[in-house]
Amino acid sequence: MTPRLRGRTALVTGSTSNIGRAIALAFAAQGAHVVVSGRDETRGDGVVAEIERAGGRADFVRADLDGTAQASQALAAEATRRLGGRLDVLVNNAGIYPPGTTPTTDPATFDRVYAVNVKAPFFLTQVVAPAMVAAGGGVIVNLGSWVARRGLPMGALYASTKGAMETLTRAWSAEFGGGGVRVNAISPGVIRDPALDPSSQFAGETLMHGTPAGTAGHPDAIAAAAVYLASDDAAFVHGAVLDVDGGRTGVTTTGR
């Protein structure tokens, strides 16, 4: 079987751990040359080494996406250079989730969460999407979240940033779709980081009670969706938000 992303190039932000790492590994396994990006060089080099051991191609580019246009532009430029001058797929995955409620959120935290979760991908897309149009097309995959559409009594700030990313997905699809750029999003449910101790309690499990899955998901489920959206199999998919959430958003079961 031909790898679904053979010959493609991709940048995955926040890909030194968890969901981003899984996407980078899956893209490389499907034939893409991947730029792994994040703040931790040691972890980034580890992901690159893992990809190369499996026969894939990857580079690490350190980036602290602080919400400034300069940081996003620098990452786009260096990633494109490492990928031979062409970037086919951008995955806007990097994000932060500080715990807290609306009354306990200070202005500095508010600004930082919006800087990392919204401004950074906005300015990255601002430079990458026009370059994709000029090259004849490309794919952008954003990471939303089920909490953007299911109200919870905590995490309002984070939920609002993910709602912004899902809205930007539709807006960017309209803005750049005519130029051959497909823009879609994935809305993950509760995902358990494989780096956590398997024997430890994971509070997120309770949030999946009453769903068809009944338990937290694995990052590989999100990676599989990202591969689909990045591939030609999704050629007719534009402006969609794909729920990969074990049924958390749309389904309630009984007896669990």
Side-chain angles (χ1 to χ4, degrees), residues 152-190:
L152 296 175
M154 60 180 296
L157 177 59
Y158 175 80
S160 71
T161 66
K162 290 305 180 179
M165 289 308 299
E166 293 189 5
T167 297
L168 283 170
T169 295
R170 292 182 285 270
W172 285 338
S173 180
E175 187 172 2
F176 301 114
V181 179
R182 289 192 297 104
V183 186
N184 294 289
I186 301 168
S187 177
V190 179

Side-chain angles (χ1 to χ4, degrees), residues 46-60:
V47 177
V48 169
E50 189 173 356
I51 289 172
E52 291 178 339
R53 283 195 300 271
R57 297 181 64 197
D59 293 276
F60 174 71

Side-chain angles (χ1 to χ4, degrees), residues 32 137 156 218:
H218 190 279

Side-chain angles (χ1 to χ4, degrees), residues 83-189:
L83 295 169
R86 190 184 84 253
L87 177 57
D88 298 316
V89 183
L90 167 65
V91 179
N92 284 313
N93 168 74
I96 56 175
Y97 174 75
T101 61
T102 298
T104 61
T105 298
D106 59 81
T109 299
F110 184 99
D111 289 343
R112 173 149 177 75
V113 175
Y114 262 84
V116 175
N117 292 11
V118 181
K119 291 179 68 178
F122 181 92
F123 288 122
L124 195 52
T125 300
Q126 182 184 68
V127 64
V128 167
M132 288 179 171
V133 171
V139 175
I140 297 173
V141 179
N142 298 318
L143 269 291
S145 174
W146 69 280
V147 299
R149 281 167 286 142
R150 295 279 293 189
L152 296 175
M154 60 180 296
L157 177 59
Y158 175 80
S160 71
T161 66
K162 290 305 180 179
M165 289 308 299
E166 293 189 5
T167 297
L168 283 170
T169 295
R170 292 182 285 270
W172 285 338
S173 180
E175 187 172 2
F176 301 114
V181 179
R182 289 192 297 104
V183 186
N184 294 289
I186 301 168
S187 177

Side-chain angles (χ1 to χ4, degrees), residues 187-190 208 210-215 243-249 251:
S187 177
V190 179
M208 292 301 291
T211 68
T215 187
D243 292 331
V244 186
D245 62 2
R248 176 68 283 174
T249 303
V251 183

